[in-house]
């Protein structure tokens, strides 16, 4: 069903169960539908109202009404001066229509009804008297009256777009505030009052005293709150503030791989697994480094290392993505190649050299995605990436540090 509201009535066009109907009759819970847009005599169909309204194919074919702002939203968005002006205007129109400013004889004020607005006085005469009283045209009074009859007090409100606090402020003040907040990213957390003072001093120095209107103290604090939203400028950790400032400005999304080997994601995680060091017999924590093909979600390289992962371990995982280790037992299987689906058949003569040694497949990893760990961005890892992937491999792409990760957890 459409999201707008309409009245279920006879003559209403409805699409139901793959056909178009018109409501012919409503009796209790039963609705009689007449098939439309067909040649020959129309077919009649009787359905229960609950079946009609809950069926997934039901659709109201009447045109949707124009979108309008709700009356409560219009009236609640008025400033105090605008609300007082609207109240006076409504009282004038109620006097035109009823003869009483409050709209009812029981609420009559002193001297009401006046001679020109007594019941029985022609409406055009009332329009003319009220227009002369308010200093507006007769057409304006008639237009106000029509709008008041149709939508009540909300019909007299001009539907202006609601602007935020930042939009109402002077653009030069907003621009200077953003520069000042940006200058405090690497410094300790500033005090809002000092930031407002710094903004004012910079504006005076750049544009002159009084050239840029300054917001009131309360409005200034609200502007800073809006401008600093999501930046940790005044709240949250300072480390998070710097991390947010260094993050890419684009919108984060997910990497969409279209073929095997297009993206290989590399990451290292500390496990709740301990191993015993053979010389000192101490228990040490283990770390797991994994390379995963994003398209097939296959693990194409992994290494479990004690204590901490080093760059040589990462390089070994990258090498496994194109040259996996042979299985030690007959029942074991090697890890799949990144970029070579299992259904691809390769000529045996083209995968070995003249001495019979196996060669690397012709399809390899194109792009490696990793985080900002030192072991991943070192020179050893970069060289291993170039040698493992060959000339066709794109340089490793560091994964950005987003404030909120996507569903895949990989950068934009």
């Amino acid at each position: 069903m459409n999201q707008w509201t309409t009245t279920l009535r006879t003559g209403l066009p409805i699409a139901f169960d793959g056909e178009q109907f018109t409501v012919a009759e409503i009796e209790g819970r039963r609705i009689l539908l007449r098939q439309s847009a067909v040649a020959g005599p129309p077919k009649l169909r009787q359905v229960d109202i609950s079946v009609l309204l809950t069926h997934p194919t039901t659709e109201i074919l009447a045109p949707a009404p124009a979108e309008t702002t709700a009356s409560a939203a219009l009236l609640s968005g008025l400033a105090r001066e605008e609300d007082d002006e609207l109240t006076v205007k409504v009282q004038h129109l109620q006097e035109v229509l009823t003869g009483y400013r409050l709209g009812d004889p029981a609420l009559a004020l002193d001297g009401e009804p006046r001679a020109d607005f007594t019941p029985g006085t022609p409406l055009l005469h009332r329009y003319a008297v009220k227009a002369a009283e308010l200093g507006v045209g007769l057409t304006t009074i008639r237009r106000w009256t029509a709008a008041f009859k149709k939508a009540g007090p909300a019909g007299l409100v001009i539907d202006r777009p609601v602007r935020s606090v930042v939009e109402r402020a002077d653009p030069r003040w907003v621009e200077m505030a953003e520069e000042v907040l940006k200058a405090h990213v690497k410094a300790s957390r500033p005090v809002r009052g000092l930031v407002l003072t710094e903004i004012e001093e910079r504006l005076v120095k750049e544009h002159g005293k009084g050239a840029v209107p300054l917001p009131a103290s309360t409005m200034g604090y609200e502007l800073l709150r809006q401008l600093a939203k999501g930046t940790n400028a005044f709240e949250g950790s300072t480390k998070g503030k710097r991390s947010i400032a260094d993050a890419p400005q684009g919108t984060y999304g997910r990497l969409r791989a279209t073929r095997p080997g297009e993206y290989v994601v590399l990451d290292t995680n500390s496990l709740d697994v301990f191993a015993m060091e053979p010389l000192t017999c101490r228990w040490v924590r283990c770390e797991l480094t994994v390379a995963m093909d994003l398209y097939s979600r296959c693990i194409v390289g992994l290494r479990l290392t004690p204590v901490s992962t080093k760059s040589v371990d990462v390089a070994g995982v990258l090498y496994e993505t194109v040259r996996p280790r042979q299985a030690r037992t007959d029942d074991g299987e090697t890890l799949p190649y990144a970029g070579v689906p299992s259904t691809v058949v390769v000529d045996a003569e083209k995968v070995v050299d003249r001495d019979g040694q196996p060669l690397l497949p012709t399809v390899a990893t194109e792009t490696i995605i990793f985080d900002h760990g030192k072991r991943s961005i070192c020179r050893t890892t970069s060289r291993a990436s170039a040698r493992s992937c060959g000339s066709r491999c794109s340089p490793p792409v560091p994964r950005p540090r987003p404030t909120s990760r996507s569903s895949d957890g990989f950068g934009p």
Side-chain angles (χ1 to χ4, degrees):
M1 298 287 289
N2 294 332
Q3 295 183 352
W4 49 276
T5 304
T6 186
T7 304
L8 187 62
R9 65 186 189 280
T10 57
L12 181 67
I14 293 179
F16 173 70
D17 200 16
E19 297 178 311
Q20 294 186 9
F21 297 92
T22 302
V23 178
E25 184 179 342
I26 302 176
E27 183 177 355
R29 296 182 53 86
R30 309 299 296 177
I31 298 179
L32 183 64
L33 301 177
R34 180 185 292 109
Q35 190 178 17
S36 59
V38 293
K43 181 177 65 174
L44 298 177
R45 184 170 179 177
Q46 190 177 37
V47 296
D48 189 88
I49 186 172
S50 60
V51 176
L52 178 66
L53 297 181
T54 58
H55 201 276
T57 63
T58 302
E59 182 180 357
I60 304 299
L61 301 181
E67 295 185 0
T68 57
T69 307
S71 300
L74 281 177
L75 298 177
S76 62
L78 296 178
R80 184 171 182 177
E81 296 78 7
E82 295 174 332
D83 186 68
D84 295 340
E85 182 181 351
L86 177 62
T87 301
V88 173
K89 185 183 294 185
V90 169
Q91 290 179 357
H92 283 298
L93 295 179
Q94 289 184 149
E95 186 178 18
V96 171
L97 296 174
T98 64
Y100 302 92
R101 297 176 69 89
L102 300 183
D104 193 276
L107 303 175
L109 302 177
D110 295 338
E112 290 185 343
R114 294 190 290 174
D116 293 320
F117 299 99
T118 55
T121 304
L123 195 57
L124 290 179
H125 177 72
R126 303 184 201 178
Y127 288 160
V129 173
K130 186 58 69 174
E133 180 183 345
L134 299 180
V136 296
L138 180 63
T139 305
T140 301
I141 297 296
R142 298 183 66 174
R143 187 177 70 252
W144 288 353
T145 305
F148 181 69
K149 288 181 177 180
K150 181 179 180 181
L156 304 175
V157 179
I158 301 176
D159 190 4
R160 302 184 182 92
V162 179
R163 297 192 303 168
S164 64
V165 177
V166 178
E167 292 175 343
R168 295 199 301 267
D170 191 283
R172 294 171 294 179
W173 192 97
V174 175
E175 182 179 357
M176 184 61 68
E178 292 175 346
E179 293 181 5
V180 171
L181 292 176
K182 186 176 181 181
H184 285 276
V185 168
K186 302 300 182 181
S188 59
R189 175 165 291 106
V191 180
R192 291 180 177 86
L194 296 179
V195 171
L196 292 176
T197 303
E198 184 177 354
I199 295 172
E200 181 180 355
E201 292 177 351
R202 289 196 180 189
L203 289 174
V204 171
K205 183 178 179 180
E206 182 173 343
H207 301 282
K209 189 174 183 179
V212 179
L214 301 177
S217 178
T218 305
M219 184 62 67
Y221 282 106
E222 178 64 20
L223 286 170
L224 289 181
R225 190 182 70 84
Q226 294 292 336
L227 294 175
K229 186 178 297 184
T231 63
N232 279 24
F234 301 106
E235 298 176 355
S237 65
T238 304
K239 182 179 179 181
K241 175 182 67 174
R242 296 166 184 169
S243 178
I244 293 171
D246 294 337
Q249 299 301 319
T251 304
Y252 290 102
R254 63 172 60 185
L255 289 174
R256 300 186 182 275
T258 58
R259 57 189 178 277
E262 184 177 4
Y263 297 110
V264 168
V265 183
L266 183 67
D267 199 5
T268 300
N269 289 302
S270 180
L271 304 178
D272 290 332
V273 176
F274 293 84
M276 179 175 290
E277 208 276 330
L279 297 180
T280 62
C281 294
R282 292 185 307 171
W283 292 100
V284 294
R285 186 182 292 273
C286 297
E287 290 188 353
L288 179 65
T289 303
V290 174
M292 184 188 72
D293 178 36
L294 186 58
Y295 180 82
S296 61
R297 307 287 176 163
C298 291
I299 302 300
V300 294
L302 61 87
R303 179 159 298 191
L304 188 66
T305 55
V307 185
S308 63
T309 304
K310 298 178 175 58
S311 58
V312 65
D313 301 317
V314 178
V317 173
L318 292 176
Y319 185 70
E320 285 187 23
T321 61
V322 293
R323 189 72 175 272
R325 290 175 290 181
Q326 300 295 326
R328 295 184 179 180
T329 58
D330 295 338
D331 56 350
E333 296 182 358
T334 59
L335 295 176
Y337 289 99
V340 182
S342 59
T343 56
V344 173
V345 179
V346 184
D347 188 357
E349 297 179 357
K350 295 182 180 180
V351 296
V352 295
D353 58 13
R354 60 183 180 180
D355 298 328
Q357 296 296 326
L359 299 174
L360 297 179
T362 57
V363 181
T365 303
E366 300 176 19
T367 305
I368 299 173
I369 310 296
F370 57 88
D371 56 15
H372 290 261
K374 293 182 179 180
R375 64 180 72 89
S376 301
I377 61 179
C378 66
R379 186 178 303 175
T380 302
T381 304
S382 300
R383 290 177 177 176
S385 302
R387 292 181 180 180
S388 299
C389 299
S391 59
R392 290 170 287 105
C393 180
S394 303
V397 178
R399 188 192 311 166
R401 299 177 226 179
T403 55
S404 58
R405 293 177 178 253
S406 62
S407 58
D408 273 344
F410 313 128

